[in-house]
Amino acid sequence: MRRRTVLAAGLLAAPLSACSGGDTDGDRVFRQFDPADQAAGLVEAIDAWNAEHPDYRVTMETLSPNNPQQFAREANAGSGPDIAQLAFTDVSFMAEPRILTPLDDLLTGSPPQGADELLATDMTTYDGSMWAIPWTADTMALVYRPDLLERAGIDRTPQDWEELAETAARITEDSDGEIHGFVFAAGAQFSSAQWFPINYHLWAHGAQLIDADGDLWRVGVDPEQLTATIDYFAAFFTEGITPTAMQAVTDYGDPSIIGALDDGSCAMTFMPPAAFRTARDSVEAELLTAPMPAGLEDGATHLGGRALGINANCQEPEAAWEFVTHLLSPETFRTYPQYPASAGTLTQVDVDPSEQGFIDQLPHARSFARYADAPITIAALQELVNQQFSAVYSGQAEPAQAADRIITRLADELEE
């Protein structure tokens, strides 16, 4: 299946001799876009490489936030970094105008450790070729305070969505409302984190917003299924399990959520790894992670992460590939606090025991590639779903009415 590009037309890489437009003293350039405080361990990994490879030294360049259009412009002009960190969703946009080096021959000739167990290859493959290689992986995990579950007599984390609702209601009821059993960001903005559990609930119950039949797209959820999902999340507010104030919150790492974990008024929530680590360092009580409800079912949760691509103008793609395989190795992840996008390498990396929920869930997660090629963008899906779910939470719409609005809009967009 071909993916639609969002980059400007005509971005065909020119066969110029130069690459590493920002290099210094002949060093090759690796560009990444994560904040400096999240990339300190990556500097150590690159220093280790440079110590052993004086003839192919690499300088790390940080360009944050991620700007795929800038890389495209540079590559089209014959410059830019030799190796680039890419969001999974950016790979096809770089591959279509051929501003990346296809990796099939390099991958076959010199496969990195764990190459046979890579996650999210559906996001790095385009027109039958591999244009970048999955590097890091992340997902959402259930975050909880074990002391609060124990106080309510609960001896395991919820295994499915029905059990989550029951467990959260029990915690809230037993504490006379002083502890909210499950807290989640439920704002109406397109970026609101409620997008993730909404999809997880649908996927775990055999539905998804849209799906493809060959090159044709159709609505993938019926009114009854979607209404049931809306009812499910709305009940957290109508039953007082989640505080009403969460309807104005969009971020899973919002201070109000971390503060509730700290003061003991929140028993369970969900976060990705970076947000969890921030919360763990901020909260006085013990925090642990577990798979999301149904998180051990294949395809019931999402897989995000980063890939590595080689600029089409790179003069030494074989040497650049050696550096890429170094970044994919278990040695890199011993200092770099990310999870490898290889199920095999994942088992070789030591992580804090509190993060075990992520490790258990990641091999079962699947990317948003299921939506990536649709005529309606993922951002538009997010905006539509978050607005309509929030309209129900606030009493502005009934669940069946919101479901009908979502399905009608999806059908109209796909028909166009």
PDB file of all heavy atoms in Angstrom, residues 184-187 189-203 209 233 250 270 302 368 371 377-386:
ATOM      1  N   PHE A 184      -7.696  10.152  34.004  1.00  0.00           N
ATOM      2  CA  PHE A 184      -7.136  10.294  32.656  1.00  0.00           C
ATOM      3  C   PHE A 184      -7.458  11.663  32.091  1.00  0.00           C
ATOM      4  O   PHE A 184      -8.480  12.267  32.412  1.00  0.00           O
ATOM      5  CB  PHE A 184      -7.656   9.198  31.717  1.00  0.00           C
ATOM      6  CG  PHE A 184      -9.136   9.250  31.421  1.00  0.00           C
ATOM      7  CD1 PHE A 184      -9.601   9.776  30.223  1.00  0.00           C
ATOM      8  CD2 PHE A 184     -10.067   8.753  32.331  1.00  0.00           C
ATOM      9  CE1 PHE A 184     -10.959   9.809  29.939  1.00  0.00           C
ATOM     10  CE2 PHE A 184     -11.430   8.781  32.051  1.00  0.00           C
ATOM     11  CZ  PHE A 184     -11.882   9.314  30.847  1.00  0.00           C
ATOM     12  N   ALA A 185      -6.551  12.178  31.254  1.00  0.00           N
ATOM     13  CA  ALA A 185      -6.743  13.468  30.593  1.00  0.00           C
ATOM     14  C   ALA A 185      -7.854  13.336  29.567  1.00  0.00           C
ATOM     15  O   ALA A 185      -7.780  12.500  28.664  1.00  0.00           O
ATOM     16  CB  ALA A 185      -5.445  13.910  29.915  1.00  0.00           C
ATOM     17  N   ALA A 186      -8.890  14.148  29.666  1.00  0.00           N
ATOM     18  CA  ALA A 186     -10.085  13.993  28.830  1.00  0.00           C
ATOM     19  C   ALA A 186     -10.469  15.281  28.117  1.00  0.00           C
ATOM     20  O   ALA A 186     -11.631  15.487  27.787  1.00  0.00           O
ATOM     21  CB  ALA A 186     -11.247  13.501  29.688  1.00  0.00           C
ATOM     22  N   GLY A 187      -9.494  16.162  27.867  1.00  0.00           N
ATOM     23  CA  GLY A 187      -9.777  17.405  27.177  1.00  0.00           C
ATOM     24  C   GLY A 187     -10.248  17.192  25.750  1.00  0.00           C
ATOM     25  O   GLY A 187     -10.023  16.130  25.151  1.00  0.00           O
ATOM     26  N   GLN A 189      -9.290  18.951  23.061  1.00  0.00           N
ATOM     27  CA  GLN A 189      -8.323  19.314  22.027  1.00  0.00           C
ATOM     28  C   GLN A 189      -7.837  18.077  21.273  1.00  0.00           C
ATOM     29  O   GLN A 189      -7.802  16.978  21.808  1.00  0.00           O
ATOM     30  CB  GLN A 189      -7.127  20.038  22.649  1.00  0.00           C
ATOM     31  CG  GLN A 189      -7.478  21.402  23.232  1.00  0.00           C
ATOM     32  CD  GLN A 189      -7.912  21.325  24.690  1.00  0.00           C
ATOM     33  OE1 GLN A 189      -8.436  20.302  25.138  1.00  0.00           O
ATOM     34  NE2 GLN A 189      -7.702  22.387  25.432  1.00  0.00           N
ATOM     35  N   PHE A 190      -7.403  18.282  20.022  1.00  0.00           N
ATOM     36  CA  PHE A 190      -6.998  17.142  19.200  1.00  0.00           C
ATOM     37  C   PHE A 190      -5.818  16.384  19.817  1.00  0.00           C
ATOM     38  O   PHE A 190      -5.673  15.182  19.625  1.00  0.00           O
ATOM     39  CB  PHE A 190      -6.645  17.605  17.778  1.00  0.00           C
ATOM     40  CG  PHE A 190      -5.205  17.992  17.582  1.00  0.00           C
ATOM     41  CD1 PHE A 190      -4.281  17.072  17.119  1.00  0.00           C
ATOM     42  CD2 PHE A 190      -4.773  19.282  17.872  1.00  0.00           C
ATOM     43  CE1 PHE A 190      -2.946  17.420  16.948  1.00  0.00           C
ATOM     44  CE2 PHE A 190      -3.446  19.634  17.696  1.00  0.00           C
ATOM     45  CZ  PHE A 190      -2.525  18.695  17.232  1.00  0.00           C
ATOM     46  N   SER A 191      -5.001  17.092  20.598  1.00  0.00           N
ATOM     47  CA  SER A 191      -3.823  16.464  21.194  1.00  0.00           C
ATOM     48  C   SER A 191      -4.108  15.766  22.520  1.00  0.00           C
ATOM     49  O   SER A 191      -3.200  15.224  23.142  1.00  0.00           O
ATOM     50  CB  SER A 191      -2.734  17.522  21.416  1.00  0.00           C
ATOM     51  OG  SER A 191      -3.212  18.560  22.273  1.00  0.00           O
ATOM     52  N   SER A 192      -5.348  15.752  22.953  1.00  0.00           N
ATOM     53  CA  SER A 192      -5.673  15.183  24.261  1.00  0.00           C
ATOM     54  C   SER A 192      -5.318  13.701  24.325  1.00  0.00           C
ATOM     55  O   SER A 192      -5.580  12.928  23.401  1.00  0.00           O
ATOM     56  CB  SER A 192      -7.156  15.362  24.558  1.00  0.00           C
ATOM     57  OG  SER A 192      -7.499  14.737  25.781  1.00  0.00           O
ATOM     58  N   ALA A 193      -4.763  13.302  25.464  1.00  0.00           N
ATOM     59  CA  ALA A 193      -4.286  11.927  25.637  1.00  0.00           C
ATOM     60  C   ALA A 193      -5.408  10.901  25.689  1.00  0.00           C
ATOM     61  O   ALA A 193      -5.142   9.696  25.599  1.00  0.00           O
ATOM     62  CB  ALA A 193      -3.444  11.836  26.914  1.00  0.00           C
ATOM     63  N   GLN A 194      -6.673  11.333  25.809  1.00  0.00           N
ATOM     64  CA  GLN A 194      -7.758  10.355  25.831  1.00  0.00           C
ATOM     65  C   GLN A 194      -7.828   9.565  24.514  1.00  0.00           C
ATOM     66  O   GLN A 194      -8.413   8.476  24.471  1.00  0.00           O
ATOM     67  CB  GLN A 194      -9.092  11.019  26.116  1.00  0.00           C
ATOM     68  CG  GLN A 194      -9.611  11.956  25.032  1.00  0.00           C
ATOM     69  CD  GLN A 194     -11.054  12.338  25.242  1.00  0.00           C
ATOM     70  OE1 GLN A 194     -11.881  11.516  25.624  1.00  0.00           O
ATOM     71  NE2 GLN A 194     -11.376  13.608  25.004  1.00  0.00           N
ATOM     72  N   TRP A 195      -7.250  10.116  23.459  1.00  0.00           N
ATOM     73  CA  TRP A 195      -7.209   9.438  22.160  1.00  0.00           C
ATOM     74  C   TRP A 195      -6.676   8.008  22.288  1.00  0.00           C
ATOM     75  O   TRP A 195      -7.178   7.089  21.627  1.00  0.00           O
ATOM     76  CB  TRP A 195      -6.338  10.262  21.218  1.00  0.00           C
ATOM     77  CG  TRP A 195      -5.819   9.569  19.990  1.00  0.00           C
ATOM     78  CD1 TRP A 195      -4.560   9.101  19.781  1.00  0.00           C
ATOM     79  CD2 TRP A 195      -6.560   9.291  18.784  1.00  0.00           C
ATOM     80  NE1 TRP A 195      -4.449   8.558  18.524  1.00  0.00           N
ATOM     81  CE2 TRP A 195      -5.661   8.654  17.896  1.00  0.00           C
ATOM     82  CE3 TRP A 195      -7.870   9.509  18.374  1.00  0.00           C
ATOM     83  CZ2 TRP A 195      -6.039   8.250  16.613  1.00  0.00           C
ATOM     84  CZ3 TRP A 195      -8.249   9.105  17.105  1.00  0.00           C
ATOM     85  CH2 TRP A 195      -7.347   8.479  16.247  1.00  0.00           C
ATOM     86  N   PHE A 196      -5.674   7.808  23.138  1.00  0.00           N
ATOM     87  CA  PHE A 196      -5.050   6.484  23.240  1.00  0.00           C
ATOM     88  C   PHE A 196      -5.962   5.450  23.888  1.00  0.00           C
ATOM     89  O   PHE A 196      -6.216   4.395  23.288  1.00  0.00           O
ATOM     90  CB  PHE A 196      -3.705   6.597  23.966  1.00  0.00           C
ATOM     91  CG  PHE A 196      -2.701   7.410  23.201  1.00  0.00           C
ATOM     92  CD1 PHE A 196      -2.449   8.732  23.546  1.00  0.00           C
ATOM     93  CD2 PHE A 196      -2.019   6.866  22.122  1.00  0.00           C
ATOM     94  CE1 PHE A 196      -1.537   9.498  22.830  1.00  0.00           C
ATOM     95  CE2 PHE A 196      -1.102   7.622  21.399  1.00  0.00           C
ATOM     96  CZ  PHE A 196      -0.859   8.937  21.753  1.00  0.00           C
ATOM     97  N   PRO A 197      -6.488   5.671  25.095  1.00  0.00           N
ATOM     98  CA  PRO A 197      -7.358   4.644  25.661  1.00  0.00           C
ATOM     99  C   PRO A 197      -8.642   4.435  24.867  1.00  0.00           C
ATOM    100  O   PRO A 197      -9.188   3.321  24.850  1.00  0.00           O
ATOM    101  CB  PRO A 197      -7.648   5.143  27.084  1.00  0.00           C
ATOM    102  CG  PRO A 197      -7.376   6.605  27.052  1.00  0.00           C
ATOM    103  CD  PRO A 197      -6.258   6.774  26.058  1.00  0.00           C
ATOM    104  N   ILE A 198      -9.142   5.466  24.206  1.00  0.00           N
ATOM    105  CA  ILE A 198     -10.330   5.284  23.372  1.00  0.00           C
ATOM    106  C   ILE A 198     -10.042   4.251  22.284  1.00  0.00           C
ATOM    107  O   ILE A 198     -10.823   3.314  22.058  1.00  0.00           O
ATOM    108  CB  ILE A 198     -10.769   6.631  22.755  1.00  0.00           C
ATOM    109  CG1 ILE A 198     -11.381   7.534  23.826  1.00  0.00           C
ATOM    110  CG2 ILE A 198     -11.767   6.401  21.612  1.00  0.00           C
ATOM    111  CD1 ILE A 198     -11.607   8.963  23.366  1.00  0.00           C
ATOM    112  N   ASN A 199      -8.915   4.416  21.602  1.00  0.00           N
ATOM    113  CA  ASN A 199      -8.558   3.445  20.569  1.00  0.00           C
ATOM    114  C   ASN A 199      -8.277   2.072  21.157  1.00  0.00           C
ATOM    115  O   ASN A 199      -8.694   1.055  20.603  1.00  0.00           O
ATOM    116  CB  ASN A 199      -7.344   3.944  19.783  1.00  0.00           C
ATOM    117  CG  ASN A 199      -7.728   4.921  18.695  1.00  0.00           C
ATOM    118  OD1 ASN A 199      -8.148   4.538  17.610  1.00  0.00           O
ATOM    119  ND2 ASN A 199      -7.589   6.205  18.996  1.00  0.00           N
ATOM    120  N   TYR A 200      -7.585   2.028  22.295  1.00  0.00           N
ATOM    121  CA  TYR A 200      -7.285   0.744  22.918  1.00  0.00           C
ATOM    122  C   TYR A 200      -8.573  -0.015  23.235  1.00  0.00           C
ATOM    123  O   TYR A 200      -8.652  -1.237  23.053  1.00  0.00           O
ATOM    124  CB  TYR A 200      -6.500   0.944  24.214  1.00  0.00           C
ATOM    125  CG  TYR A 200      -5.092   1.486  24.080  1.00  0.00           C
ATOM    126  CD1 TYR A 200      -4.559   1.870  22.857  1.00  0.00           C
ATOM    127  CD2 TYR A 200      -4.287   1.636  25.211  1.00  0.00           C
ATOM    128  CE1 TYR A 200      -3.263   2.371  22.760  1.00  0.00           C
ATOM    129  CE2 TYR A 200      -2.992   2.130  25.126  1.00  0.00           C
ATOM    130  CZ  TYR A 200      -2.484   2.503  23.901  1.00  0.00           C
ATOM    131  OH  TYR A 200      -1.208   2.992  23.818  1.00  0.00           O
ATOM    132  N   HIS A 201      -9.564   0.705  23.736  1.00  0.00           N
ATOM    133  CA  HIS A 201     -10.838   0.064  24.080  1.00  0.00           C
ATOM    134  C   HIS A 201     -11.511  -0.491  22.821  1.00  0.00           C
ATOM    135  O   HIS A 201     -12.003  -1.630  22.816  1.00  0.00           O
ATOM    136  CB  HIS A 201     -11.756   1.072  24.779  1.00  0.00           C
ATOM    137  CG  HIS A 201     -13.021   0.494  25.314  1.00  0.00           C
ATOM    138  ND1 HIS A 201     -14.162   0.351  24.540  1.00  0.00           N
ATOM    139  CD2 HIS A 201     -13.335  -0.009  26.549  1.00  0.00           C
ATOM    140  CE1 HIS A 201     -15.122  -0.195  25.264  1.00  0.00           C
ATOM    141  NE2 HIS A 201     -14.654  -0.423  26.486  1.00  0.00           N
ATOM    142  N   LEU A 202     -11.515   0.303  21.749  1.00  0.00           N
ATOM    143  CA  LEU A 202     -12.096  -0.168  20.495  1.00  0.00           C
ATOM    144  C   LEU A 202     -11.341  -1.389  19.967  1.00  0.00           C
ATOM    145  O   LEU A 202     -11.953  -2.399  19.579  1.00  0.00           O
ATOM    146  CB  LEU A 202     -12.069   0.949  19.443  1.00  0.00           C
ATOM    147  CG  LEU A 202     -13.057   2.103  19.628  1.00  0.00           C
ATOM    148  CD1 LEU A 202     -12.743   3.225  18.647  1.00  0.00           C
ATOM    149  CD2 LEU A 202     -14.491   1.615  19.438  1.00  0.00           C
ATOM    150  N   TRP A 203     -10.017  -1.311  19.923  1.00  0.00           N
ATOM    151  CA  TRP A 203      -9.221  -2.408  19.375  1.00  0.00           C
ATOM    152  C   TRP A 203      -9.408  -3.692  20.182  1.00  0.00           C
ATOM    153  O   TRP A 203      -9.470  -4.788  19.623  1.00  0.00           O
ATOM    154  CB  TRP A 203      -7.746  -2.023  19.350  1.00  0.00           C
ATOM    155  CG  TRP A 203      -7.443  -0.826  18.492  1.00  0.00           C
ATOM    156  CD1 TRP A 203      -8.251  -0.260  17.537  1.00  0.00           C
ATOM    157  CD2 TRP A 203      -6.259  -0.026  18.520  1.00  0.00           C
ATOM    158  NE1 TRP A 203      -7.637   0.833  16.974  1.00  0.00           N
ATOM    159  CE2 TRP A 203      -6.423   1.003  17.547  1.00  0.00           C
ATOM    160  CE3 TRP A 203      -5.085  -0.067  19.260  1.00  0.00           C
ATOM    161  CZ2 TRP A 203      -5.430   1.963  17.308  1.00  0.00           C
ATOM    162  CZ3 TRP A 203      -4.103   0.880  19.024  1.00  0.00           C
ATOM    163  CH2 TRP A 203      -4.276   1.885  18.060  1.00  0.00           C
ATOM    164  N   LEU A 209     -11.574   2.702  14.219  1.00  0.00           N
ATOM    165  CA  LEU A 209     -12.335   3.799  13.641  1.00  0.00           C
ATOM    166  C   LEU A 209     -12.534   3.630  12.137  1.00  0.00           C
ATOM    167  O   LEU A 209     -13.638   3.818  11.622  1.00  0.00           O
ATOM    168  CB  LEU A 209     -11.641   5.124  13.940  1.00  0.00           C
ATOM    169  CG  LEU A 209     -11.626   5.546  15.413  1.00  0.00           C
ATOM    170  CD1 LEU A 209     -10.684   6.717  15.616  1.00  0.00           C
ATOM    171  CD2 LEU A 209     -13.033   5.894  15.885  1.00  0.00           C
ATOM    172  N   PHE A 233     -16.314   5.367  28.811  1.00  0.00           N
ATOM    173  CA  PHE A 233     -15.480   6.441  29.356  1.00  0.00           C
ATOM    174  C   PHE A 233     -16.312   7.515  30.057  1.00  0.00           C
ATOM    175  O   PHE A 233     -15.864   8.095  31.053  1.00  0.00           O
ATOM    176  CB  PHE A 233     -14.600   7.032  28.254  1.00  0.00           C
ATOM    177  CG  PHE A 233     -13.481   6.115  27.843  1.00  0.00           C
ATOM    178  CD1 PHE A 233     -13.578   5.343  26.697  1.00  0.00           C
ATOM    179  CD2 PHE A 233     -12.350   5.992  28.633  1.00  0.00           C
ATOM    180  CE1 PHE A 233     -12.563   4.471  26.332  1.00  0.00           C
ATOM    181  CE2 PHE A 233     -11.323   5.118  28.287  1.00  0.00           C
ATOM    182  CZ  PHE A 233     -11.433   4.354  27.125  1.00  0.00           C
ATOM    183  N   THR A 250      -5.245  17.837  29.048  1.00  0.00           N
ATOM    184  CA  THR A 250      -4.934  17.167  27.782  1.00  0.00           C
ATOM    185  C   THR A 250      -3.725  16.242  27.855  1.00  0.00           C
ATOM    186  O   THR A 250      -3.601  15.326  27.047  1.00  0.00           O
ATOM    187  CB  THR A 250      -4.670  18.196  26.672  1.00  0.00           C
ATOM    188  OG1 THR A 250      -3.544  19.005  27.034  1.00  0.00           O
ATOM    189  CG2 THR A 250      -5.883  19.090  26.465  1.00  0.00           C
ATOM    190  N   PHE A 270      -2.457   6.350  33.188  1.00  0.00           N
ATOM    191  CA  PHE A 270      -1.611   5.755  32.159  1.00  0.00           C
ATOM    192  C   PHE A 270      -0.633   6.803  31.650  1.00  0.00           C
ATOM    193  O   PHE A 270      -0.921   7.999  31.654  1.00  0.00           O
ATOM    194  CB  PHE A 270      -2.450   5.191  31.001  1.00  0.00           C
ATOM    195  CG  PHE A 270      -3.152   6.246  30.191  1.00  0.00           C
ATOM    196  CD1 PHE A 270      -2.552   6.804  29.073  1.00  0.00           C
ATOM    197  CD2 PHE A 270      -4.406   6.700  30.562  1.00  0.00           C
ATOM    198  CE1 PHE A 270      -3.187   7.789  28.333  1.00  0.00           C
ATOM    199  CE2 PHE A 270      -5.059   7.684  29.835  1.00  0.00           C
ATOM    200  CZ  PHE A 270      -4.449   8.236  28.713  1.00  0.00           C
ATOM    201  N   HIS A 302      -1.093   0.694  21.176  1.00  0.00           N
ATOM    202  CA  HIS A 302      -0.331   1.280  20.083  1.00  0.00           C
ATOM    203  C   HIS A 302       1.168   1.173  20.334  1.00  0.00           C
ATOM    204  O   HIS A 302       1.626   1.074  21.470  1.00  0.00           O
ATOM    205  CB  HIS A 302      -0.713   2.752  19.885  1.00  0.00           C
ATOM    206  CG  HIS A 302       0.184   3.711  20.607  1.00  0.00           C
ATOM    207  ND1 HIS A 302       0.169   3.865  21.975  1.00  0.00           N
ATOM    208  CD2 HIS A 302       1.143   4.559  20.146  1.00  0.00           C
ATOM    209  CE1 HIS A 302       1.063   4.766  22.330  1.00  0.00           C
ATOM    210  NE2 HIS A 302       1.676   5.208  21.242  1.00  0.00           N
ATOM    211  N   PHE A 368       0.250   2.799  14.567  1.00  0.00           N
ATOM    212  CA  PHE A 368      -0.919   3.443  13.981  1.00  0.00           C
ATOM    213  C   PHE A 368      -0.884   3.364  12.454  1.00  0.00           C
ATOM    214  O   PHE A 368      -1.602   4.112  11.778  1.00  0.00           O
ATOM    215  CB  PHE A 368      -1.008   4.901  14.433  1.00  0.00           C
ATOM    216  CG  PHE A 368      -1.751   5.091  15.728  1.00  0.00           C
ATOM    217  CD1 PHE A 368      -1.064   5.379  16.904  1.00  0.00           C
ATOM    218  CD2 PHE A 368      -3.129   4.968  15.764  1.00  0.00           C
ATOM    219  CE1 PHE A 368      -1.752   5.550  18.101  1.00  0.00           C
ATOM    220  CE2 PHE A 368      -3.827   5.139  16.959  1.00  0.00           C
ATOM    221  CZ  PHE A 368      -3.139   5.430  18.130  1.00  0.00           C
ATOM    222  N   TYR A 371      -4.048   3.350  10.433  1.00  0.00           N
ATOM    223  CA  TYR A 371      -4.745   4.560  10.012  1.00  0.00           C
ATOM    224  C   TYR A 371      -3.911   5.417   9.050  1.00  0.00           C
ATOM    225  O   TYR A 371      -4.432   6.353   8.449  1.00  0.00           O
ATOM    226  CB  TYR A 371      -5.067   5.451  11.217  1.00  0.00           C
ATOM    227  CG  TYR A 371      -6.025   4.875  12.238  1.00  0.00           C
ATOM    228  CD1 TYR A 371      -6.036   5.373  13.546  1.00  0.00           C
ATOM    229  CD2 TYR A 371      -6.924   3.857  11.929  1.00  0.00           C
ATOM    230  CE1 TYR A 371      -6.911   4.873  14.504  1.00  0.00           C
ATOM    231  CE2 TYR A 371      -7.789   3.348  12.882  1.00  0.00           C
ATOM    232  CZ  TYR A 371      -7.784   3.854  14.162  1.00  0.00           C
ATOM    233  OH  TYR A 371      -8.652   3.359  15.114  1.00  0.00           O
ATOM    234  N   THR A 377      -6.594  12.315   7.817  1.00  0.00           N
ATOM    235  CA  THR A 377      -5.355  12.249   8.577  1.00  0.00           C
ATOM    236  C   THR A 377      -5.602  11.798  10.017  1.00  0.00           C
ATOM    237  O   THR A 377      -6.709  11.936  10.546  1.00  0.00           O
ATOM    238  CB  THR A 377      -4.646  13.609   8.613  1.00  0.00           C
ATOM    239  OG1 THR A 377      -5.456  14.540   9.351  1.00  0.00           O
ATOM    240  CG2 THR A 377      -4.429  14.151   7.206  1.00  0.00           C
ATOM    241  N   ILE A 378      -4.543  11.293  10.652  1.00  0.00           N
ATOM    242  CA  ILE A 378      -4.654  10.886  12.045  1.00  0.00           C
ATOM    243  C   ILE A 378      -4.990  12.092  12.922  1.00  0.00           C
ATOM    244  O   ILE A 378      -5.781  11.992  13.860  1.00  0.00           O
ATOM    245  CB  ILE A 378      -3.364  10.190  12.508  1.00  0.00           C
ATOM    246  CG1 ILE A 378      -3.192   8.850  11.777  1.00  0.00           C
ATOM    247  CG2 ILE A 378      -3.371   9.972  14.027  1.00  0.00           C
ATOM    248  CD1 ILE A 378      -1.909   8.115  12.104  1.00  0.00           C
ATOM    249  N   ALA A 379      -4.409  13.245  12.613  1.00  0.00           N
ATOM    250  CA  ALA A 379      -4.708  14.450  13.398  1.00  0.00           C
ATOM    251  C   ALA A 379      -6.196  14.804  13.304  1.00  0.00           C
ATOM    252  O   ALA A 379      -6.815  15.194  14.295  1.00  0.00           O
ATOM    253  CB  ALA A 379      -3.858  15.622  12.916  1.00  0.00           C
ATOM    254  N   ALA A 380      -6.784  14.649  12.120  1.00  0.00           N
ATOM    255  CA  ALA A 380      -8.217  14.930  11.966  1.00  0.00           C
ATOM    256  C   ALA A 380      -9.059  13.915  12.723  1.00  0.00           C
ATOM    257  O   ALA A 380     -10.093  14.261  13.315  1.00  0.00           O
ATOM    258  CB  ALA A 380      -8.588  14.928  10.484  1.00  0.00           C
ATOM    259  N   LEU A 381      -8.626  12.657  12.734  1.00  0.00           N
ATOM    260  CA  LEU A 381      -9.318  11.635  13.518  1.00  0.00           C
ATOM    261  C   LEU A 381      -9.289  11.991  14.998  1.00  0.00           C
ATOM    262  O   LEU A 381     -10.297  11.893  15.700  1.00  0.00           O
ATOM    263  CB  LEU A 381      -8.671  10.270  13.299  1.00  0.00           C
ATOM    264  CG  LEU A 381      -8.881   9.581  11.952  1.00  0.00           C
ATOM    265  CD1 LEU A 381      -8.015   8.321  11.876  1.00  0.00           C
ATOM    266  CD2 LEU A 381     -10.343   9.225  11.741  1.00  0.00           C
ATOM    267  N   GLN A 382      -8.115  12.387  15.476  1.00  0.00           N
ATOM    268  CA  GLN A 382      -7.972  12.758  16.887  1.00  0.00           C
ATOM    269  C   GLN A 382      -8.912  13.898  17.254  1.00  0.00           C
ATOM    270  O   GLN A 382      -9.592  13.854  18.287  1.00  0.00           O
ATOM    271  CB  GLN A 382      -6.530  13.168  17.176  1.00  0.00           C
ATOM    272  CG  GLN A 382      -5.530  12.028  17.159  1.00  0.00           C
ATOM    273  CD  GLN A 382      -4.121  12.549  17.389  1.00  0.00           C
ATOM    274  OE1 GLN A 382      -3.435  12.933  16.452  1.00  0.00           O
ATOM    275  NE2 GLN A 382      -3.695  12.563  18.632  1.00  0.00           N
ATOM    276  N   GLU A 383      -8.912  14.926  16.433  1.00  0.00           N
ATOM    277  CA  GLU A 383      -9.745  16.096  16.728  1.00  0.00           C
ATOM    278  C   GLU A 383     -11.220  15.715  16.787  1.00  0.00           C
ATOM    279  O   GLU A 383     -11.942  16.096  17.718  1.00  0.00           O
ATOM    280  CB  GLU A 383      -9.517  17.169  15.669  1.00  0.00           C
ATOM    281  CG  GLU A 383     -10.309  18.445  15.910  1.00  0.00           C
ATOM    282  CD  GLU A 383      -9.989  19.518  14.887  1.00  0.00           C
ATOM    283  OE1 GLU A 383      -9.635  19.161  13.748  1.00  0.00           O
ATOM    284  OE2 GLU A 383     -10.104  20.716  15.233  1.00  0.00           O
ATOM    285  N   LEU A 384     -11.683  14.943  15.807  1.00  0.00           N
ATOM    286  CA  LEU A 384     -13.083  14.548  15.751  1.00  0.00           C
ATOM    287  C   LEU A 384     -13.469  13.711  16.959  1.00  0.00           C
ATOM    288  O   LEU A 384     -14.482  13.984  17.632  1.00  0.00           O
ATOM    289  CB  LEU A 384     -13.328  13.758  14.462  1.00  0.00           C
ATOM    290  CG  LEU A 384     -14.693  13.083  14.300  1.00  0.00           C
ATOM    291  CD1 LEU A 384     -15.810  14.119  14.256  1.00  0.00           C
ATOM    292  CD2 LEU A 384     -14.707  12.214  13.040  1.00  0.00           C
ATOM    293  N   VAL A 385     -12.691  12.708  17.272  1.00  0.00           N
ATOM    294  CA  VAL A 385     -13.018  11.785  18.361  1.00  0.00           C
ATOM    295  C   VAL A 385     -12.957  12.491  19.711  1.00  0.00           C
ATOM    296  O   VAL A 385     -13.875  12.372  20.533  1.00  0.00           O
ATOM    297  CB  VAL A 385     -12.069  10.573  18.323  1.00  0.00           C
ATOM    298  CG1 VAL A 385     -12.185   9.755  19.599  1.00  0.00           C
ATOM    299  CG2 VAL A 385     -12.383   9.702  17.105  1.00  0.00           C
ATOM    300  N   ASN A 386     -11.888  13.227  19.958  1.00  0.00           N
ATOM    301  CA  ASN A 386     -11.757  13.891  21.251  1.00  0.00           C
ATOM    302  C   ASN A 386     -12.883  14.901  21.493  1.00  0.00           C
ATOM    303  O   ASN A 386     -13.420  15.003  22.599  1.00  0.00           O
ATOM    304  CB  ASN A 386     -10.394  14.581  21.360  1.00  0.00           C
ATOM    305  CG  ASN A 386      -9.257  13.600  21.534  1.00  0.00           C
ATOM    306  OD1 ASN A 386      -9.469  12.436  21.863  1.00  0.00           O
ATOM    307  ND2 ASN A 386      -8.035  14.057  21.297  1.00  0.00           N
TER     308      ASN A 386
END
